[in-house]
Amino acid sequence: MAIALVTGANRGIGRETARQLVERGYDVLLTARDEAKAAAAAEEVGARPLELDVSDPASIARAAAAVGDDPGRLDVLVNNAGVGTDWGTAGVAPDFAAMQAALDTNFFGAYRLTVALLPLLRESEHPRVVNVSSGMGGIAEMGGWSPGYRVSKAALNAMTRILSTELADAGVLVNSACPGFVNTDMGSQFGAKKPVEDGAAGIVWLATLPDDGPTGGFFRDGKPIAF
Ligand SMILES: NC(=O)c1ccc[n+]([C@@H]2O[C@H](COP(=O)([O-])OP(=O)(O)OC[C@H]3O[C@@H](n4cnc5c(N)ncnc54)[C@H](OP(=O)(O)O)[C@@H]3O)[C@@H](O)[C@H]2O)c1
């Protein structure tokens, strides 16, 4: 059975991604920064719980060691955990502490975790990494406001390009996904209507790509979008 790990999966798009991967027959490590929330969500969707705060390097090291012990393998990593720390803040008057907090989770967290799990992913026959990004991080259509969130997702997209290039020969497919404007705790405060099932579907598609699938791309609902 293929093994998948999803971050920030106690609620929202992460939990739904974990649920859909279980439905497809994956053995899913459902991770959350709160141990009890990980356990509750894992029970709901039929996954295994694991405590993981991606903004804490020690927590990443502990989680990577735990995965290395049991199940001792990893095929799919979904870097989903994300925070919006400076919604509506103007780029001309940035809150650098909030920007740092967005980077710590959305960029450094995903990057550190991916590197920590790379030895296991390299041993997989069909390794996949999905970075849950946002159209707000696309440089081609970059607009104003929320600079911390935007820069963190642009940096995450850069990581997708860097690692997909370096890991192409190893067969690791690394892609970014924008879930769209999804009705979760994050999206609903701005009136998002897209059902969470639909937002997660494009992530699950990238997590379950065939070996000749794309790498180094940025997709929404299975279609390429501009970086
Ligand atoms: N919703 C949208 O419209 C939308 C659009 C574009 C991109 N996205 C991206 O999609 C991803 C999921 O968003 P969502 O809508 O599901 O948001 P959400 O409902 O706010 O859920 C965010 C999840 O991330 C977790 N998280 C936050 N910081 C963490 C940390 N340091 N370590 C581990 N987990 C952490 C949260 O855990 P706690 O419960 O402990 O806080 C929660 O489980 C995010 O990366 C977001 O940027 C969402």
Side-chain angles (χ1 to χ4, degrees):
M1 196 186 266
I3 317 275
L5 186 151
V6 185
T7 66
N10 53 296
R11 60 188 168 103
I13 294 166
R15 181 173 60 182
E16 176 59 18
T17 299
R19 194 192 66 75
Q20 291 186 20
L21 286 170
V22 169
E23 205 169 69
R24 284 173 175 244
Y26 283 73
D27 186 357
V28 175
L29 298 159
L30 185 155
T31 76
R33 55 182 161 177
D34 182 299
E35 193 177 12
K37 289 181 181 172
E43 168 117 31
E44 272 170 38
V45 307
R48 312 187 195 196
L50 183 65
E51 184 182 344
L52 172 57
D53 179 343
V54 300
S55 69
D56 175 3
S59 176
I60 287 178
R62 276 195 303 275
V67 178
D69 283 346
D70 177 24
R73 302 189 288 119
L74 187 67
D75 302 290
V76 172
L77 169 61
V78 179
N79 285 310
N80 166 79
V83 287
T85 55
D86 64 350
W87 301 128
T89 297
V92 294
D95 174 341
F96 285 113
M99 187 177 284
Q100 185 67 57
L103 282 160
D104 284 344
T105 294
N106 302 357
F107 173 60
F108 287 109
Y111 205 154
R112 267 188 221 283
L113 180 65
T114 305
V115 169
L117 293 172
L118 255 188
L120 291 174
L121 287 166
R122 282 182 187 277
E123 286 172 20
S124 164
E125 285 180 21
H126 311 285
R128 310 286 178 255
V129 177
V130 185
N131 293 321
V132 181
S133 181
S134 165
M136 288 179 74
I139 299 284
E141 294 176 22
M142 183 67 70
W145 295 279
S146 314
Y149 185 74
R150 288 182 179 282
V151 168
S152 71
K153 295 298 191 180
L156 184 64
N157 284 348
M159 171 192 141
T160 291
R161 298 288 302 177
I162 293 163
L163 297 188
S164 64
T165 303
E166 295 181 13
L167 295 169
D169 289 347
V172 187
L173 304 183
V174 186
N175 291 287
S176 283
C178 170
F181 193 32
V182 181
N183 185 10
T184 58
D185 293 340
M186 183 183 285
S188 63
Q189 58 187 315
F190 307 109
K193 296 278 185 282
K194 186 171 179 174
V196 71
E197 294 81 5
D198 298 349
I203 296 166
V204 171
W205 171 69
L206 287 170
T208 59
L209 285 174
D211 288 343
D212 61 354
T215 190
F218 189 18
F219 298 89
R220 182 184 297 127
D221 299 327
K223 298 186 188 70
I225 57 173
F227 270 112

